[in-house]
Each structure stands twice: as C-alpha cells, then as structure tokens.
Amino acid sequence: MNISRSSKQLGTTLSLAAAVLLGACAQMPSQPESGPAATEPPLLSGAAAGTAGATPAPAPVVLRQDHPQTYTVAPGDTLWSIAGRFLQDPWRWREIWRQNPQLRNPNRIYPGDVLQFSHDADGQPQLAVAERDEVPLLKLSPKVRIEELSQPIPPVPRDAVESFLTRAVILSDAQWKGTPYIVADDDDQVVYAARDRVYARGSLFDQPRYQVFRPGEALREPGSDRYLGTPGVYLGEAILDQDGDPATFTLANTIAPIRAGDRLLPIEAERELYSFEPHPVPPDTEGSIIAKLDTDVTQITQYSSLIVNLGAQEGIEPGHVLAIYGRGRTVEDPVSGGSVKLPGERAGLLMIYKVHDLVSYGLVMQAERAIRLQDRVTTP
C-alpha cells in the first residue's frame, strides 16, 4: 500500500470540518521555493524488500536498557516523554500499553499515576497503571458543572501547540470567497486595531465572538504545483455588537493590523490534546514538508510546527508519526569520474496533531540534523 500524495488523484475542495485542531499564526506560513524534492525513499528492510505487495512483519519493540520498572507520572510529563523512558522508539507506545478496564478513564494518564512495567504470559513487554487514586473532583457551584482538578497528560508539550489549536484554518479559494468579511470601520481609517468599531457583511451572525483572518499564500504540491489550499493568517477577534447588514463588531485581542476585506470565522472549540497518542503512519506513506508555521524563527528545530502535504484523504490522523529525511544530492566522483547520487539522511521525527483534507500540521519531536522545507516525510 502506497499512499503518497503523488499516487492519488485528490479533489481540491477542502472541508472546514476536517480542521480537527487549530493554531495561531500572525504571519503566513513559510513555504519552499517551487521545484520537486529530489530524494529517494529509504530502503525498506526485511520482508518489505521482498515479494511485491507483501506486508512486512513489524519489528520487535526495542526497550531502553535503562528503562525503569516503575515510574510515577509528574506534572509536565507528556506521553512522548514517558514513552521515551521505556522505548527506543517512543511512537510504538500502543504496542506495550495495557488498558485497565477497571479505571474510569483507562486511556488517560494523570500526574501521580504509577506506571508498572512487566511482561505478559507470552513474554511480551507491557506497561500499565499499577495504582491510582481517583482523580479529585471540584464542584464549582450547585448543579452547574463539575471539573477535574487534575488534567491528563498530553501527547506533546501543550505550550508547543496551544497557540495553534484554535487559531489557524486552511480553506479552499471557494471557501474563502464565501466567508463573511469586514467592510470598513466607523472612522474611515485604513487599518484597525483593538477597541475599534467595524462593520461586516456576508453572513447571519449568530455567535458572540469571531476570529479575524486574512487569506495567506496558497499551499502548492512540490513538483506538480497542485493547489492544496490557502491558510489563514490569524489577526485577532471581533465581538458582535449588533447583527444586521452590515453587522457591527468591536475588535479585541488584535495581534496585527486589520483591514477591510479581512474575513470572520466562528471560534471553534479546542479539541482535547489527550484524544490521540503516538503511532506510526501506514507503511510506504510518503510526503513532503511544504511550509512552517512559526515564521519568526529561520531554523526548523525541535517543537517547530510544520505543514506536510498529507491529509485525511491519505488516512493521516492526529498522533501519526513520520520520519523526516533530508533531500539527496548529486556529487562528482573524484576518482572514477561522473556523478553519484547520495541518499538523504534521516533528520528527525514529526508527530501529526491537526489534520485537514489535503494537508496536516505536525510537530517536530526529534531534530537529529538540519531540517529544511521540502524534506521528505515517510514511515519511521
């Protein structure tokens, strides 16, 4: 099974509902210069190099030699960091995790939980919660709501993706054209900021608050230049004062100047970070890094957020882990003459945390060498 972007004919219409997690970015994502990514996929080992169509047997889970027998979960831990204490490949967490059906939330791990390492009857390694006090509850007010005092640990550091959870969108050109927009302010200014009063059209506004975006630079398929969608540049919020045509809004929490023509989108609820866990993408998955979200820094490092040209239509989902490989290069042979193609070396690991139809957002979990735009992403 090969689900690389280049092997599938996909539609170009993006679905807003496919934007699972959203992020904040006051500048448009940096994209690579046009041109194909000149790398070859890494050779598959074992059965994958044999009979065509055969599915390779998964390699045994490799434990760290210094893994503990028990570990008490601490505040600030992530699922990835805990997995790294036990496994050489943290994304294979699912293969050793044993759910405890007697627990109220067997898939969630909380600070204070004691994790117990052992082997099952077949000699396979496993990890489970050895003991747990019930998570305390706080009743805030009579018959209003009850909240847990302790939050489950997230798969990745919250502060690395929190700014991108509810403040980024990728829409098609048609979708952008159909979104409501700001017409003008009440004082004939060219740019607007927080506390300015503005007017908007294009929708029956029924939400108290909206987010303000500006369409950014279109995302393109490396090599084919196929259109993959247009990301939104987050600018701030607009509070509805009065619906109508035009409707009246007051701007708030602006992080960049707002202008006439900027778009309004409803605020989406933040999806729980513990709703996914690390696991490898299907075999033979191939794609490319096409943009980066944190444009304030020039280098791609650990916990940088990137956009890859793989999405829901390739079966990508939050928690999928991909290996990053640098592009191969061609050099002159100093002895025999002619040229020789050098393979791209593995540069790091990327975990997907937000999925659209045709593209996904991922977080660099490991940076082993320089990572660049148009580097390839594939099965780890």
Side-chain angles (χ1 to χ4, degrees):
M1 175 181 65
N2 190 309
I3 60 171
S4 66
R5 168 72 69 193
S6 59
S7 65
K8 298 186 69 176
Q9 298 298 319
L10 305 177
T12 58
T13 302
L14 292 170
S15 168
L16 181 59
V20 180
L21 297 175
L22 301 178
C25 186
Q27 304 175 24
M28 67 184 65
S30 298
Q31 298 185 62
E33 297 179 358
S34 60
T39 62
E40 296 296 329
L43 294 177
L44 300 177
S45 60
T51 305
T55 300
V61 173
V62 180
L63 299 170
R64 286 180 54 123
Q65 292 185 355
D66 59 349
H67 73 81
Q69 292 300 310
T70 62
Y71 177 72
T72 302
V73 180
D77 279 342
T78 66
L79 193 57
W80 185 278
S81 68
I82 293 176
R85 292 178 178 271
F86 293 90
L87 302 175
Q88 287 193 8
D89 299 326
W91 65 87
R92 301 188 68 176
W93 173 263
R94 282 183 174 178
E95 299 179 48
I96 68 167
W97 177 247
R98 183 173 66 85
Q99 296 185 11
N100 293 347
Q102 73 273 18
L103 297 177
R104 182 162 53 91
N105 292 312
N107 286 317
R108 300 178 183 178
I109 302 174
Y110 295 83
D113 280 346
V114 177
L115 305 184
Q116 177 72 54
F117 177 82
S118 62
H119 290 85
D120 62 18
D122 296 324
Q124 298 301 312
Q126 63 180 12
L127 197 64
V129 176
E131 57 186 68
R132 172 186 291 174
D133 294 330
E134 279 302 314
V135 178
L137 300 178
L138 172 64
K139 193 170 184 179
L140 297 180
S141 59
K143 299 181 181 180
V144 175
R145 68 175 184 239
I146 295 177
E147 290 188 353
E148 294 176 349
L149 286 176
S150 178
Q151 293 295 317
I153 64 167
V156 298
R158 291 183 183 274
D159 56 0
V161 297
E162 222 163 26
S163 61
F164 300 104
L165 287 178
T166 59
R167 295 181 178 178
V169 294
I170 297 178
L171 304 178
S172 67
D173 281 341
Q175 287 175 320
W176 279 117
K177 291 177 181 177
T179 56
Y181 55 92
I182 293 174
V183 177
D185 74 333
D186 64 350
D187 197 26
D188 200 26
Q189 299 180 86
V190 177
V191 296
Y192 326 131
R195 295 187 296 277
D196 284 347
R197 192 176 180 88
V198 298
Y199 305 98
R201 304 186 68 194
S203 176
L204 180 63
F205 297 101
D206 57 0
Q207 302 294 322
R209 301 175 75 92
Y210 288 77
Q211 291 178 319
V212 185
F213 290 91
R214 182 175 301 144
E217 183 180 351
L219 299 172
R220 297 284 178 179
E221 185 91 74
S224 70
D225 201 40
R226 189 155 64 96
Y227 174 70
L228 300 177
T230 301
V233 180
Y234 175 78
L235 303 173
E237 296 183 1
I239 302 172
L240 179 63
D241 295 324
Q242 184 175 351
D243 191 19
D245 187 17
T248 306
F249 288 86
T250 299
L251 298 179
N253 303 320
T254 58
I255 61 173
I258 294 175
R259 299 181 177 89
D262 289 340
R263 308 306 174 112
L264 299 179
L265 292 173
I267 296 177
E268 295 195 26
E270 176 181 324
R271 184 165 178 171
E272 294 176 331
L273 273 176
Y274 50 74
S275 61
F276 66 89
E277 58 191 37
H279 55 292
V281 293
D284 299 340
T285 300
E286 291 184 26
S288 299
I289 298 171
I290 61 174
K292 60 187 180 75
L293 291 176
D294 38 3
T295 55
D296 290 339
V297 295
T298 57
Q299 292 184 330
I300 298 174
T301 60
Q302 185 182 33
Y303 302 145
S304 291
S305 280
L306 308 175
I307 301 179
V308 299
N309 64 332
L310 297 169
Q313 294 195 18
E314 286 77 38
I316 301 299
E317 60 187 23
H320 265 153
V321 176
L322 301 107
I324 304 170
Y325 282 83
R327 288 178 287 174
R329 59 193 179 98
T330 301
V331 299
E332 296 297 323
D333 189 322
V335 176
S336 302
S339 60
V340 59
K341 188 173 183 179
L342 304 180
E345 298 291 339
R346 198 178 101 160
L349 292 171
L350 183 80
M351 181 190 288
I352 300 298
Y353 65 86
K354 174 191 174 191
V355 179
H356 295 277
D357 279 354
L358 304 180
V359 299
S360 299
Y361 289 2
L363 190 70
V364 176
M365 300 304 301
Q366 293 177 203
E368 301 158 8
R369 60 180 65 231
I371 299 173
R372 300 178 176 88
L373 298 178
Q374 287 196 353
D375 280 356
R376 297 179 62 255
V377 291
T378 187
T379 310

